Amino acid sequence: MLPPTMGLLTNGSGDSTPLKFLIYGKTGWIGGLLGRLCEERGIPYAYGLGRLENRAQLEADIGSVSPTHVFNAAGVTGRPNVDWCETHKVETIRANVVGTLTLADACRERGLILLNYATGCIFEYDETHLLGSGIGFREEDTPNFVGSFYSKTKAMVEDLLKNYENVCTLRVRMPISSDLSNPRNFITKITRYEKVVDIPNSMTILDELLPISIEMAKRNLTGIWNFTNPGVVSHNEILQMYREYIDPSFSWKNFTLEEQAKVIVAPRSNNELDTTKLKTEFPDLLPIKQSLIKYVFKPNQKSSAA
Ligand SMILES: NC(=O)c1ccc[n+]([C@@H]2O[C@H](COP(=O)([O-])OP(=O)(O)OC[C@H]3O[C@@H](n4cnc5c(N)ncnc54)[C@H](OP(=O)(O)O)[C@@H]3O)[C@@H](O)[C@H]2O)c1
Protein backbone atom coordinates (compact mmCIF):
# COMPACT_ATOMS: atom_id res chain seq x y z
CA MET A 1 0.00 0.00 0.00
CA LEU A 2 1.42 3.38 -0.96
CA PRO A 3 1.67 6.08 1.71
CA PRO A 4 -0.78 8.95 1.08
CA THR A 5 0.81 11.72 -0.95
CA MET A 6 1.50 14.74 1.21
CA GLY A 7 1.03 17.26 -1.57
CA LEU A 8 4.77 17.75 -1.88
CA LEU A 9 7.06 16.90 -4.75
CA THR A 10 10.47 15.77 -3.56
CA ASN A 11 13.15 16.30 -6.14
CA GLY A 12 16.50 14.53 -6.33
CA SER A 13 18.27 17.16 -4.20
CA GLY A 14 15.86 16.66 -1.31
CA ASP A 15 14.10 20.01 -1.84
CA SER A 16 10.33 20.02 -1.81
CA THR A 17 8.06 21.91 -4.16
CA PRO A 18 4.27 21.96 -3.68
CA LEU A 19 2.50 19.73 -6.18
CA LYS A 20 -0.22 21.12 -8.39
CA PHE A 21 -1.89 19.06 -11.07
CA LEU A 22 -3.68 20.17 -14.23
CA ILE A 23 -6.03 17.38 -15.34
CA TYR A 24 -7.81 16.91 -18.68
CA GLY A 25 -10.91 14.69 -18.82
CA LYS A 26 -13.12 16.27 -16.13
CA THR A 27 -16.32 14.62 -17.36
CA GLY A 28 -14.66 11.25 -18.05
CA TRP A 29 -14.36 8.14 -15.93
CA ILE A 30 -10.61 8.16 -15.28
CA GLY A 31 -10.39 11.98 -15.09
CA GLY A 32 -13.21 12.04 -12.53
CA LEU A 33 -11.55 9.37 -10.38
CA LEU A 34 -8.22 11.20 -10.53
CA GLY A 35 -9.78 14.45 -9.29
CA ARG A 36 -11.42 12.63 -6.36
CA LEU A 37 -8.09 10.99 -5.53
CA CYS A 38 -6.37 14.40 -5.44
CA GLU A 39 -9.08 15.69 -3.11
CA GLU A 40 -8.66 12.72 -0.76
CA ARG A 41 -4.89 13.22 -0.71
CA GLY A 42 -4.97 17.00 -0.36
CA ILE A 43 -3.22 17.58 -3.68
CA PRO A 44 -4.19 20.91 -5.28
CA TYR A 45 -5.50 20.38 -8.80
CA ALA A 46 -7.59 22.01 -11.49
CA TYR A 47 -9.31 20.60 -14.51
CA GLY A 48 -8.31 21.92 -17.92
CA LEU A 49 -11.01 23.93 -19.63
CA GLY A 50 -9.58 23.62 -23.13
CA ARG A 51 -10.30 21.10 -25.85
CA LEU A 52 -7.09 19.19 -26.50
CA GLU A 53 -6.79 20.31 -30.11
CA ASN A 54 -7.07 23.99 -29.18
CA ARG A 55 -3.51 25.01 -28.35
CA ALA A 56 -4.40 28.55 -27.31
CA GLN A 57 -6.85 27.19 -24.72
CA LEU A 58 -4.31 24.69 -23.43
CA GLU A 59 -1.71 27.42 -23.06
CA ALA A 60 -4.26 29.58 -21.23
CA ASP A 61 -4.97 26.67 -18.83
CA ILE A 62 -1.27 26.12 -18.16
CA GLY A 63 -0.77 29.85 -17.68
CA SER A 64 -3.62 30.26 -15.21
CA VAL A 65 -3.09 27.02 -13.22
CA SER A 66 0.76 26.97 -13.17
CA PRO A 67 0.84 23.21 -12.61
CA THR A 68 3.81 21.09 -11.59
CA HIS A 69 2.46 18.20 -13.71
CA VAL A 70 -0.23 17.71 -16.35
CA PHE A 71 -2.40 14.58 -16.59
CA ASN A 72 -4.27 13.66 -19.75
CA ALA A 73 -7.33 11.49 -19.16
CA ALA A 74 -9.12 13.02 -22.14
CA GLY A 75 -9.63 11.24 -25.40
CA VAL A 76 -12.27 9.78 -27.64
CA THR A 77 -13.25 6.27 -26.58
CA GLY A 78 -16.55 6.03 -28.49
CA ARG A 79 -20.11 5.55 -27.27
CA PRO A 80 -21.47 3.01 -26.68
CA ASN A 81 -18.05 1.55 -27.52
CA VAL A 82 -14.98 1.93 -29.75
CA ASP A 83 -16.99 0.88 -32.83
CA TRP A 84 -18.12 4.54 -32.88
CA CYS A 85 -14.59 5.49 -33.98
CA GLU A 86 -14.99 3.46 -37.20
CA THR A 87 -17.62 5.94 -38.42
CA HIS A 88 -16.15 9.07 -36.78
CA LYS A 89 -12.56 8.91 -37.96
CA VAL A 90 -11.85 12.64 -38.17
CA GLU A 91 -13.28 13.28 -34.69
CA THR A 92 -11.15 10.40 -33.37
CA ILE A 93 -7.98 11.77 -35.01
CA ARG A 94 -8.78 15.29 -33.73
CA ALA A 95 -8.88 14.24 -30.09
CA ASN A 96 -6.59 11.20 -29.92
CA VAL A 97 -3.84 12.28 -32.31
CA VAL A 98 -3.94 16.05 -32.94
CA GLY A 99 -5.20 16.81 -29.42
CA THR A 100 -2.85 14.54 -27.49
CA LEU A 101 0.17 15.72 -29.52
CA THR A 102 -0.81 19.37 -29.07
CA LEU A 103 -1.01 18.91 -25.30
CA ALA A 104 2.35 17.08 -25.21
CA ASP A 105 3.95 19.82 -27.27
CA ALA A 106 2.46 22.65 -25.18
CA CYS A 107 3.68 20.92 -21.99
CA ARG A 108 7.16 20.42 -23.45
CA GLU A 109 7.38 24.11 -24.30
CA ARG A 110 6.71 24.89 -20.63
CA GLY A 111 9.05 22.18 -19.31
CA LEU A 112 6.15 20.17 -17.87
CA ILE A 113 5.78 16.41 -17.59
CA LEU A 114 2.59 15.05 -19.17
CA LEU A 115 1.24 11.80 -17.72
CA ASN A 116 -0.85 10.38 -20.53
CA TYR A 117 -3.42 7.64 -19.89
CA ALA A 118 -2.93 5.73 -23.11
CA THR A 119 -3.94 2.19 -24.01
CA GLY A 120 -2.35 -1.25 -24.17
CA CYS A 121 -5.00 -2.28 -26.72
CA ILE A 122 -2.39 -1.89 -29.46
CA PHE A 123 -1.14 -5.49 -29.19
CA GLU A 124 -2.63 -8.90 -29.88
CA TYR A 125 -1.32 -12.36 -29.04
CA ASP A 126 1.03 -13.59 -31.78
CA GLU A 127 3.43 -16.46 -32.43
CA THR A 128 6.11 -15.00 -30.14
CA HIS A 129 3.60 -13.91 -27.48
CA LEU A 130 1.26 -16.89 -27.44
CA LEU A 131 -1.89 -16.89 -25.34
CA GLY A 132 -1.12 -18.76 -22.14
CA SER A 133 2.66 -18.56 -22.62
CA GLY A 134 3.21 -15.94 -19.92
CA ILE A 135 5.33 -13.98 -22.40
CA GLY A 136 3.93 -10.47 -22.48
CA PHE A 137 4.58 -7.53 -24.77
CA ARG A 138 7.25 -5.21 -23.44
CA GLU A 139 7.39 -1.43 -23.46
CA GLU A 140 9.78 -1.34 -26.42
CA ASP A 141 7.74 -3.72 -28.62
CA THR A 142 6.14 -2.32 -31.75
CA PRO A 143 2.33 -2.40 -31.69
CA ASN A 144 0.92 -5.26 -33.79
CA PHE A 145 -2.82 -4.56 -33.44
CA VAL A 146 -4.41 -1.96 -35.66
CA GLY A 147 -7.66 -3.89 -36.20
CA SER A 148 -9.81 -1.02 -34.91
CA PHE A 149 -9.49 2.63 -35.87
CA TYR A 150 -9.38 3.55 -32.17
CA SER A 151 -6.33 1.31 -31.59
CA LYS A 152 -4.73 2.51 -34.81
CA THR A 153 -4.83 6.17 -33.66
CA LYS A 154 -3.54 5.21 -30.22
CA ALA A 155 -0.60 3.25 -31.72
CA MET A 156 0.23 6.15 -34.05
CA VAL A 157 0.24 8.72 -31.28
CA GLU A 158 2.26 6.49 -28.94
CA ASP A 159 4.94 6.19 -31.62
CA LEU A 160 5.09 9.96 -32.12
CA LEU A 161 5.07 10.65 -28.37
CA LYS A 162 8.26 8.58 -27.97
CA ASN A 163 10.05 11.67 -29.29
CA TYR A 164 8.76 13.80 -26.39
CA GLU A 165 11.08 13.32 -23.45
CA ASN A 166 8.53 15.05 -21.18
CA VAL A 167 5.80 12.42 -21.69
CA CYS A 168 4.96 9.47 -19.46
CA THR A 169 2.81 7.05 -21.49
CA LEU A 170 0.69 4.76 -19.32
CA ARG A 171 -0.68 1.78 -21.26
CA VAL A 172 -4.03 1.12 -19.52
CA ARG A 173 -6.03 -2.03 -20.41
CA MET A 174 -9.62 -3.08 -19.75
CA PRO A 175 -9.85 -0.81 -16.69
CA ILE A 176 -11.73 -2.01 -13.63
CA SER A 177 -12.75 -0.03 -10.55
CA SER A 178 -14.51 -0.85 -7.29
CA ASP A 179 -17.58 1.05 -8.53
CA LEU A 180 -19.55 -1.82 -10.02
CA SER A 181 -22.43 0.49 -10.99
CA ASN A 182 -20.26 2.30 -13.56
CA PRO A 183 -21.10 1.11 -17.09
CA ARG A 184 -17.49 1.84 -18.18
CA ASN A 185 -16.13 -0.70 -15.67
CA PHE A 186 -15.00 -3.87 -17.50
CA ILE A 187 -16.70 -6.10 -14.89
CA THR A 188 -19.97 -4.19 -15.21
CA LYS A 189 -19.75 -4.42 -18.99
CA ILE A 190 -19.26 -8.17 -19.12
CA THR A 191 -21.95 -8.89 -16.52
CA ARG A 192 -24.42 -7.02 -18.73
CA TYR A 193 -23.50 -8.62 -22.06
CA GLU A 194 -25.76 -11.34 -23.38
CA LYS A 195 -22.72 -13.48 -24.23
CA VAL A 196 -19.00 -13.10 -23.49
CA VAL A 197 -15.81 -14.50 -24.96
CA ASP A 198 -13.39 -16.12 -22.53
CA ILE A 199 -9.83 -14.93 -23.12
CA PRO A 200 -7.05 -14.16 -20.60
CA ASN A 201 -5.96 -10.52 -20.72
CA SER A 202 -3.86 -7.99 -18.87
CA MET A 203 -6.07 -5.53 -17.00
CA THR A 204 -5.76 -2.35 -14.93
CA ILE A 205 -7.29 -2.13 -11.45
CA LEU A 206 -7.76 1.63 -11.20
CA ASP A 207 -8.11 1.66 -7.39
CA GLU A 208 -4.53 0.35 -7.16
CA LEU A 209 -2.98 1.95 -10.25
CA LEU A 210 -4.32 5.52 -10.28
CA PRO A 211 -2.54 6.27 -6.97
CA ILE A 212 0.58 4.80 -8.56
CA SER A 213 0.29 7.27 -11.45
CA ILE A 214 0.30 10.09 -8.88
CA GLU A 215 3.40 8.57 -7.35
CA MET A 216 4.95 8.39 -10.83
CA ALA A 217 4.38 12.13 -11.20
CA LYS A 218 6.09 12.71 -7.85
CA ARG A 219 9.06 10.70 -9.10
CA ASN A 220 9.05 12.60 -12.42
CA LEU A 221 8.96 9.33 -14.38
CA THR A 222 8.68 9.50 -18.16
CA GLY A 223 8.74 7.05 -21.09
CA ILE A 224 6.41 4.17 -21.87
CA TRP A 225 4.97 2.00 -19.07
CA ASN A 226 2.77 -1.07 -19.31
CA PHE A 227 0.20 0.16 -16.79
CA THR A 228 -1.56 -3.06 -15.80
CA ASN A 229 -1.42 -5.46 -12.88
CA PRO A 230 0.98 -8.39 -13.38
CA GLY A 231 -0.43 -11.55 -14.98
CA VAL A 232 -3.67 -12.15 -16.81
CA VAL A 233 -7.27 -12.95 -15.92
CA SER A 234 -9.96 -14.36 -18.19
CA HIS A 235 -13.56 -13.25 -18.58
CA ASN A 236 -14.82 -16.48 -16.99
CA GLU A 237 -12.44 -16.17 -14.03
CA ILE A 238 -13.79 -12.67 -13.34
CA LEU A 239 -17.39 -13.81 -13.69
CA GLN A 240 -16.73 -16.74 -11.33
CA MET A 241 -15.39 -14.25 -8.74
CA TYR A 242 -18.46 -12.08 -9.36
CA ARG A 243 -20.71 -15.04 -8.63
CA GLU A 244 -18.69 -15.97 -5.55
CA TYR A 245 -18.51 -12.50 -3.98
CA ILE A 246 -21.45 -10.53 -5.37
CA ASP A 247 -24.32 -12.58 -6.75
CA PRO A 248 -24.51 -16.37 -6.18
CA SER A 249 -27.38 -16.61 -8.68
CA PHE A 250 -25.39 -14.98 -11.50
CA SER A 251 -24.97 -17.00 -14.70
CA TRP A 252 -23.56 -16.21 -18.12
CA LYS A 253 -23.14 -17.60 -21.59
CA ASN A 254 -19.92 -17.79 -23.60
CA PHE A 255 -19.42 -17.48 -27.31
CA THR A 256 -16.45 -17.78 -29.61
CA LEU A 257 -14.37 -14.99 -31.14
CA GLU A 258 -15.98 -15.87 -34.50
CA GLU A 259 -19.46 -15.46 -33.02
CA GLN A 260 -18.39 -12.22 -31.28
CA ALA A 261 -17.16 -10.85 -34.62
CA LYS A 262 -20.77 -10.94 -35.89
CA VAL A 263 -22.01 -8.53 -33.19
CA ILE A 264 -19.17 -5.98 -33.23
CA VAL A 265 -17.87 -3.80 -36.05
CA ALA A 266 -14.12 -3.72 -35.36
CA PRO A 267 -12.03 -6.54 -33.89
CA ARG A 268 -10.90 -6.16 -30.25
CA SER A 269 -7.38 -6.67 -28.94
CA ASN A 270 -6.50 -9.50 -26.54
CA ASN A 271 -3.03 -9.59 -25.04
CA GLU A 272 -0.70 -9.92 -22.09
CA LEU A 273 1.59 -7.00 -21.24
CA ASP A 274 4.90 -7.57 -19.46
CA THR A 275 4.85 -5.60 -16.20
CA THR A 276 8.48 -6.14 -15.13
CA LYS A 277 9.30 -2.44 -15.51
CA LEU A 278 6.35 -1.23 -13.39
CA LYS A 279 6.82 -3.99 -10.78
CA THR A 280 10.51 -3.09 -10.44
CA GLU A 281 9.59 0.55 -9.75
CA PHE A 282 6.64 -0.44 -7.51
CA PRO A 283 7.49 -3.82 -5.91
CA ASP A 284 4.21 -3.94 -3.94
CA LEU A 285 2.09 -3.99 -7.11
CA LEU A 286 -0.36 -6.90 -6.76
CA PRO A 287 -0.94 -9.64 -9.35
CA ILE A 288 -4.22 -9.08 -11.18
CA LYS A 289 -6.32 -11.71 -9.37
CA GLN A 290 -5.14 -10.59 -5.91
CA SER A 291 -5.79 -6.96 -6.81
CA LEU A 292 -9.29 -7.80 -8.05
CA ILE A 293 -10.14 -9.48 -4.76
CA LYS A 294 -8.56 -6.81 -2.54
CA TYR A 295 -9.76 -3.67 -4.33
CA VAL A 296 -12.97 -4.75 -6.05
CA PHE A 297 -14.64 -7.93 -4.85
CA LYS A 298 -13.99 -7.87 -1.08
CA PRO A 299 -15.15 -4.24 -0.68
CA ASN A 300 -18.31 -5.05 -2.66
CA GLN A 301 -18.95 -8.46 -1.09
CA LYS A 302 -22.59 -9.16 -0.30
CA SER A 303 -23.11 -10.78 3.11
CA SER A 304 -25.07 -13.63 1.46
CA ALA A 305 -22.19 -14.43 -0.92
CA ALA A 306 -18.87 -16.24 -0.28
N1 LIG B 1 -12.13 3.11 -20.55
C1 LIG B 1 -11.35 2.25 -21.21
O1 LIG B 1 -11.74 1.09 -21.50
C2 LIG B 1 -9.92 2.63 -21.54
C3 LIG B 1 -9.02 1.62 -21.74
C4 LIG B 1 -7.71 1.96 -22.04
C5 LIG B 1 -7.37 3.29 -22.17
N2 LIG B 1 -8.28 4.27 -21.98
C6 LIG B 1 -7.89 5.65 -22.24
O2 LIG B 1 -7.92 6.43 -21.07
C7 LIG B 1 -8.37 7.75 -21.38
C8 LIG B 1 -9.56 8.09 -20.48
O3 LIG B 1 -10.55 7.08 -20.64
P1 LIG B 1 -11.99 7.18 -19.96
O4 LIG B 1 -12.54 5.79 -19.95
O5 LIG B 1 -11.95 7.96 -18.70
O6 LIG B 1 -12.75 7.99 -21.09
P2 LIG B 1 -14.18 8.69 -21.05
O7 LIG B 1 -14.95 8.34 -19.83
O8 LIG B 1 -14.79 8.43 -22.39
O9 LIG B 1 -13.81 10.24 -20.94
C9 LIG B 1 -13.17 10.89 -21.96
C10 LIG B 1 -12.93 12.31 -21.54
O10 LIG B 1 -12.23 12.94 -22.62
C11 LIG B 1 -12.83 14.19 -22.87
N3 LIG B 1 -12.56 14.55 -24.25
C12 LIG B 1 -12.86 13.85 -25.37
N4 LIG B 1 -12.41 14.51 -26.44
C13 LIG B 1 -11.80 15.63 -25.98
C14 LIG B 1 -11.13 16.72 -26.59
N5 LIG B 1 -10.98 16.76 -27.90
N6 LIG B 1 -10.64 17.70 -25.80
C15 LIG B 1 -10.78 17.66 -24.46
N7 LIG B 1 -11.42 16.67 -23.83
C16 LIG B 1 -11.91 15.67 -24.58
C17 LIG B 1 -14.29 13.99 -22.58
O11 LIG B 1 -14.88 15.25 -22.39
P3 LIG B 1 -16.26 15.67 -23.10
O12 LIG B 1 -17.30 14.85 -22.43
O13 LIG B 1 -16.34 17.12 -22.82
O14 LIG B 1 -16.08 15.34 -24.57
C18 LIG B 1 -14.20 13.14 -21.31
O15 LIG B 1 -14.01 13.99 -20.21
C19 LIG B 1 -8.72 7.75 -22.88
O16 LIG B 1 -7.69 8.32 -23.63
C20 LIG B 1 -8.85 6.30 -23.21
O17 LIG B 1 -8.49 6.04 -24.55
C21 LIG B 1 -9.56 3.97 -21.64
Side-chain angles (χ1 to χ4, degrees):
M1 189 75 174
L2 292 165
T5 305
M6 301 307 293
L8 289 176
L9 167 71
T10 305
N11 63 32
S13 64
D15 296 339
S16 292
T17 318
L19 288 172
K20 186 164 190 196
F21 294 163
L22 171 61
I23 302 173
Y24 287 89
K26 178 179 182 177
T27 58
W29 182 30
I30 292 176
L33 288 174
L34 193 59
R36 280 200 285 288
L37 209 51
C38 289
E39 268 157 40
E40 283 166 23
R41 289 167 179 243
I43 300 171
Y45 75 99
Y47 281 113
L49 304 176
R51 303 306 288 173
L52 292 184
E53 60 277 12
N54 187 331
R55 189 176 184 115
Q57 281 186 2
L58 301 183
E59 286 172 348
D61 287 343
I62 293 171
S64 65
V65 175
S66 291
T68 55
H69 299 81
V70 180
F71 287 77
N72 182 29
V76 161
T77 53
R79 292 289 189 276
N81 57 48
V82 293
D83 283 339
W84 180 92
C85 301
E86 303 297 319
T87 49
H88 297 81
K89 291 186 174 170
V90 171
E91 292 89 334
T92 306
I93 293 170
R94 190 179 298 136
N96 293 358
V97 182
V98 179
T100 307
L101 288 174
T102 305
L103 182 59
D105 198 69
C107 288
R108 185 176 185 275
E109 205 172 66
R110 294 289 297 263
L112 289 167
I113 287 179
L114 172 67
L115 291 107
N116 187 42
Y117 297 101
T119 182
C121 288
I122 51 177
F123 294 100
E124 63 180 346
Y125 290 119
D126 64 14
E127 58 284 354
T128 49
H129 305 83
L130 286 173
L131 188 158
S133 67
I135 301 169
F137 291 92
R138 300 177 67 90
E139 279 77 2
E140 59 274 21
D141 285 334
T142 304
N144 68 349
F145 178 77
V146 287
S148 71
F149 194 73
Y150 168 81
S151 293
K152 197 172 178 175
T153 61
K154 292 285 187 174
M156 275 179 199
V157 83
E158 185 192 280
D159 188 46
L160 292 169
L161 285 176
K162 279 184 201 161
N163 300 297
Y164 282 81
E165 72 287 352
N166 62 315
V167 173
C168 183
T169 292
L170 303 171
R171 286 181 182 156
V172 174
R173 284 209 78 229
M174 298 179 163
I176 290 170
S177 84
S178 54
D179 178 5
L180 294 178
S181 65
N182 191 315
R184 315 268 307 138
N185 191 332
F186 180 75
I187 298 179
T188 314
K189 279 187 193 173
I190 64 172
T191 55
R192 291 179 183 178
Y193 288 156
E194 211 175 307
K195 291 181 179 176
V196 290
V197 293
D198 181 31
I199 305 174
N201 270 286
S202 285
M203 300 189 192
T204 302
I205 305 298
L206 294 174
D207 302 70
E208 183 174 10
L209 280 152
L210 286 187
I212 285 181
S213 63
I214 291 179
E215 186 60 28
M216 292 175 86
K218 288 178 69 186
R219 296 183 193 180
N220 289 326
L221 297 173
T222 56
I224 296 176
W225 296 78
N226 288 340
F227 202 59
T228 60
N229 291 85
V232 289
V233 64
S234 72
H235 297 67
N236 279 9
E237 285 172 323
I238 290 181
L239 292 173
Q240 277 154 12
M241 288 182 200
Y242 185 85
R243 186 164 60 193
E244 188 183 338
Y245 285 91
I246 310 295
D247 179 2
S249 66
F250 183 76
S251 65
W252 69 94
K253 289 189 192 121
N254 285 127
F255 64 171
T256 63
L257 272 177
E258 293 70 31
E259 288 167 320
Q260 185 200 38
K262 293 179 191 154
V263 298
I264 54 178
V265 177
R268 303 295 196 262
S269 110
N270 291 289
N271 70 50
E272 175 168 0
L273 298 181
D274 183 307
T275 52
T276 307
K277 183 176 175 183
L278 191 66
K279 177 84 180 158
T280 303
E281 184 72 29
F282 297 97
D284 294 339
L285 181 66
L286 288 178
I288 183 66
K289 289 173 199 169
Q290 284 181 34
S291 187
L292 267 169
I293 290 171
K294 176 174 176 180
Y295 289 98
V296 181
F297 286 118
K298 283 265 186 198
N300 279 292
Q301 187 169 8
K302 298 278 182 286
S303 52
S304 56

